[in-house]
């Protein structure tokens, strides 16, 4: 999915005309959904920000909230957040609300913010919002997220007490939430055990931070206690590639193994995935750095039950030699798996369309640099 970064003022911080900003956004083809953030943050006053939101093209499906609320020196007042949220049009489904709330935030402040989130939002990023300050009241706050299908609550809970409060409040997550991203901050085995035991059975996609699972006890909890309803496991690896031990402890019920943005270019071995995995997602891993022979060897050595491999965002044919292009062409003729490359399926096998969920995940959590304002359509985002 295309992600834009649009300038809303000039070098002297004089706001641009809203109609010019909207005209720039309308340059995106109507069949191309996109997300957007605006900069410099805080350069549009409340009225201008509301006017901009109300005139967004209908194929804009996501925004970064802080780019319309925060300034470079302070957090916004809750009244300002509420006013901006009230102007978000119903075609916006993805809300990146990362780092909106200040430290030592109050229960009333969080309650008002959660209540202000439009009912049309389905994918919500709540990272770095100091929710640990109100961890004692999460069971009263989580139900306010009714209607959300994916939520990211990483980087909110730091102390043992805060994480315990989170774990004991998981059962109050709305039934609509099927995808959860969370971190456990390398706390005790007891926390890991209780987390998986309390994880609601309506969670189907679980995103975990790899660094939180580094000893045998935590890995055992992962492989033995994850509910059978979790069918997609996404590892959030940062700058490190996953360890073989981490991969082999994948729960038996998981069918989709997601290693997007996991620095797999430094992974020089075959990937030993468990027998239950049928889909491997390796998006945005800079695999163009691999010799094409290594990539082919890597794919061919995946277990036979892996029928679908997604390589979106790797630009695997970029800068290849004629010999490498020939090797890849020969491989394609023999390949029997579905390999997804930049929204296209490589082989004439049963079609696997990119699910809207994955489109939205990449828009919400991609670490790629967004495209600058002018020209809007100079490149497509590598997602």
């Amino acid at each position: 999915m295309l992600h834009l970064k649009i300038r809303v003022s000039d070098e002297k911080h004089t706001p641009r005309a809203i109609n010019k900003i909207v005209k720039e956004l309308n340059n995106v083809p109507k069949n191309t959904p996109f997300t957007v953030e605006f900069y410099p943050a805080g350069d549009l006053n409340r009225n201008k920000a509301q006017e901009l939101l109300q005139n967004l093209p209908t194929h804009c499906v996501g925004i970064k909230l802080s780019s319309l609320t925060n300034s470079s020196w302070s957090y916004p007042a809750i009244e300002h957040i509420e006013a901006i949220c009230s102007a978000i049009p119903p075609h916006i489904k993805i809300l990146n609300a990362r780092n909106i709330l200040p430290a030592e935030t109050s229960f009333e402040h969080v309650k008002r913010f959660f209540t202000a989130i439009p009912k049309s939002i389905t994918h919500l990023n709540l990272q770095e919002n100091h929710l640990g300050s109100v961890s004692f009241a999460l069971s009263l706050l989580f139900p306010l997220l009714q209607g959300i299908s994916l939520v990211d609550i990483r980087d909110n809970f730091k102390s043992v007490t805060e994480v315990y409060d989170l774990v004991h409040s998981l059962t109050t997550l709305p039934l609509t939430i099927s995808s959860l991203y969370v971190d456990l901050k390398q706390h005790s085995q007891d926390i890991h055990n209780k987390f998986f035991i309390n994880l609601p059975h309506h969670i189907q996609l679980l995103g975990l931070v790899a660094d939180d699972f580094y000893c045998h006890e935590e890995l055992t909890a992962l492989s033995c206690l994850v509910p059978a309803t979790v069918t997609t496991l996404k590892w959030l690896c940062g700058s490190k590639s996953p360890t073989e031990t981490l991969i082999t402890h994948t729960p038996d019920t998981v069918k989709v193994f997601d290693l997007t943005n996991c620095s797999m270019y430094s992974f020089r071995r075959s990937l030993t995935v468990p027998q239950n995995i049928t889909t491997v997602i390796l998006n945005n891993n800079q695999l163009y750095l691999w010799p094409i022979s290594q990539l082919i060897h890597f794919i061919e050595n995946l277990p036979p039950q892996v029928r679908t491999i997604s390589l979106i965002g790797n630009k695997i044919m970029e800068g290849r030699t004629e010999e490498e292009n020939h090797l890849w062409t020969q491989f394609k003729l023999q390949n029997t798996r579905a390999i997804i490359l930049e929204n296209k399926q490589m082989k004439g096998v049963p079609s696997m369309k990119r699910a809207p969920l994955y489109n939205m995940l990449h828009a919400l959590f991609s670490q790629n640099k967004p495209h600058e304002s002018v020209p809007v359509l100079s490149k497509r985002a590598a997602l």
Side-chain angles (χ1 to χ4, degrees):
M1 182 179 291
L2 184 67
H3 180 64
L4 302 179
K5 187 174 181 180
I6 301 295
R7 177 175 277 279
V8 296
S9 63
D10 61 21
E11 288 73 11
K12 296 181 179 180
H13 296 277
T14 302
R16 296 173 62 198
I18 297 300
N19 65 327
K20 290 186 177 180
I21 299 173
V22 172
K23 182 179 180 181
E24 189 174 348
L25 293 171
N26 276 317
N27 286 333
V28 180
K30 294 190 182 301
N31 62 351
T32 304
F34 67 93
T35 61
V36 65
E37 62 180 285
F38 303 98
Y39 77 102
D43 273 12
L44 290 183
N45 62 31
R46 182 185 300 181
N47 291 338
K48 290 288 187 182
Q50 289 178 313
E51 181 185 352
L52 175 58
L53 285 169
Q54 291 164 356
N55 286 279
L56 288 175
T58 55
H59 54 304
C60 176
V61 297
I63 61 169
K64 184 177 181 179
L65 187 59
S66 64
S67 67
L68 291 174
T69 58
N70 295 28
S71 68
S72 58
W73 60 88
S74 66
Y75 286 93
I78 185 60
E79 293 79 10
H80 187 51
I81 295 174
E82 289 173 324
I84 297 300
C85 285
S86 69
I88 295 175
H91 55 82
I92 298 296
K93 304 300 180 185
I94 304 169
L95 186 64
N96 184 344
R98 185 174 187 160
N99 196 26
I100 290 290
L101 302 178
E104 307 301 329
T105 191
S106 68
F107 168 77
E108 187 62 26
H109 199 136
V110 179
K111 180 181 178 182
R112 288 176 65 178
F113 171 47
F114 281 12
T115 303
I117 295 170
K119 300 304 180 186
S120 58
I121 299 299
T122 59
H123 290 59
L124 179 64
N125 186 345
L126 290 173
Q127 283 182 268
E128 298 179 37
N129 272 303
H130 310 285
L131 297 181
S133 300
V134 293
S135 62
F136 60 90
L138 288 174
S139 60
L140 300 176
L141 293 168
F142 278 160
L144 298 176
L145 301 178
Q146 178 69 31
I148 302 296
S149 61
L150 180 149
V151 65
D152 187 341
I153 54 174
R154 287 176 292 162
D155 302 313
N156 278 293
F157 310 98
K158 295 179 172 59
S159 71
V160 173
T161 300
E162 290 173 0
V163 177
Y164 261 115
D165 286 343
L166 166 64
V167 166
H168 288 292
S169 302
L170 289 172
T171 54
T172 64
L173 286 170
L175 291 174
T176 56
I177 295 179
S178 60
S179 302
L180 175 68
Y181 286 19
V182 66
D183 58 353
L184 301 175
K185 293 298 179 192
Q186 298 184 2
H187 287 307
S188 68
Q189 179 191 351
D190 184 54
I191 283 181
H192 286 73
N193 290 348
K194 283 186 168 64
F195 170 78
F196 290 121
I197 291 170
N198 290 344
L199 190 67
H201 286 193
H202 50 85
I203 301 298
Q204 299 171 24
L205 184 154
L206 182 61
L208 297 173
V209 175
D211 287 346
D212 291 343
F213 294 83
Y214 64 96
C215 69
H216 176 73
E217 290 78 10
E218 292 155 359
L219 290 168
T220 300
L222 170 69
S223 59
C224 297
L225 298 178
V226 172
T229 47
V230 174
T231 56
T232 299
L233 182 61
K234 179 177 177 62
W235 283 112
L236 307 158
C237 303
S239 60
K240 299 178 182 178
S241 60
T243 64
E244 193 74 25
T245 304
L246 193 68
I247 294 170
T248 56
H249 279 81
T250 302
D252 291 342
T253 58
V254 171
K255 303 298 182 186
V256 180
F257 195 56
D258 191 343
L259 295 171
T260 297
N261 287 322
C262 274
S263 302
M264 291 296 293
Y265 63 87
S266 62
F267 197 90
R268 300 297 181 181
R269 304 179 301 280
S270 298
L271 192 63
T272 308
V273 300
Q275 294 295 313
N276 46 289
I277 300 298
T278 59
T279 299
V280 175
I281 300 173
L282 299 172
N283 300 342
N284 299 342
N285 274 297
Q286 296 181 277
L287 298 185
Y288 65 87
L289 296 173
W290 282 3
I292 203 69
S293 57
Q294 181 181 340
L295 178 61
I296 292 171
H297 177 79
F298 183 87
I299 295 172
E300 288 180 336
N301 280 274
L302 287 171
Q305 77 276 2
V306 175
R307 303 309 305 159
T308 303
I309 305 126
S310 180
L311 299 174
I312 293 168
N314 285 290
K315 302 179 182 178
I316 60 169
M317 299 313 295
E318 187 173 279
R320 297 297 184 183
T321 65
E322 185 177 342
E323 180 182 358
E324 287 183 309
N325 282 319
H326 177 71
L327 279 174
W328 187 250
T329 300
Q330 293 299 112
F331 169 67
K332 287 194 294 182
L333 294 173
Q334 301 170 13
N335 172 62
T336 59
R337 292 182 168 110
I339 299 180
I340 313 300
L341 301 172
E342 313 306 331
N343 295 330
K344 295 179 180 178
Q345 194 153 341
M346 195 184 82
K347 185 74 176 179
V349 294
S351 174
M352 174 190 163
K353 296 181 181 178
R354 289 187 69 196
L357 172 61
Y358 281 103
N359 285 331
M360 291 183 175
L361 287 182
H362 293 311
L364 194 58
F365 309 112
S366 173
Q367 299 301 310
N368 293 337
K369 182 180 178 182
H371 292 298
E372 299 295 337
S373 173
V374 180
V376 171
L377 298 179
S378 59
K379 295 181 181 178
R380 290 297 304 273
L383 289 178

